[in-house]
Amino acid sequence: AREYLQGHLTKPVEPSHIEKDFLSITGNASALPIATKAVDRLAIAYSLAQSVRLSYWEQRIDQWVAATRTIPEDMANTGRVLLSPHRVSQMMGELFALKNQVNL
């Protein structure tokens, strides 16, 4: 996508903007010429939206993994889960709900 946009940008995309997932399109209406098909612009917008959505779910999953990291360690040390069966069922339900929400 960067190669496609390069011809329409008034200045090159800076590496710091790419690393931070930041894209700034500034300037007048000629930054993206009228000759560009609406379908192309829609595809770019859709891909950016999907990227943001995926990033959100990656963060949610990372939080889940961090919050449950001690459970396998406790099982290895003690041989059992140090949570009530009710809490284990709740956590399983949360995990299945998170899995079902990730529908890209």
Side-chain angles (χ1 to χ4, degrees), residues 66-88:
T68 59
R69 187 172 310 237
T70 60
I71 296 172
E73 294 170 0
D74 291 343
M75 288 176 64
N77 293 334
T78 64
R80 60 191 192 100
V81 178
L82 303 176
L83 298 169
S84 70
H86 178 71
R87 181 63 186 136
V88 171

Side-chain angles (χ1 to χ4, degrees), residues 6-63:
Q6 208 62 29
H8 303 291
L9 299 174
T10 56
K11 63 181 183 177
V13 177
E14 298 175 21
S16 63
H17 288 172
I18 296 169
E19 292 171 5
K20 295 178 184 176
D21 290 336
F22 174 76
L23 178 62
S24 176
I25 300 176
T26 59
N28 56 22
S30 66
L32 286 173
I34 305 245
T36 302
K37 294 181 181 177
V39 175
D40 294 340
R41 287 182 278 174
L42 179 63
I44 292 168
Y46 184 74
S47 64
L48 289 173
Q50 286 294 89
S51 177
V52 170
R53 185 176 180 196
L54 180 60
S55 176
Y56 169 78
W57 289 115
E58 286 174 344
Q59 289 176 354
R60 291 276 315 268
I61 291 169
D62 287 345
Q63 291 170 351

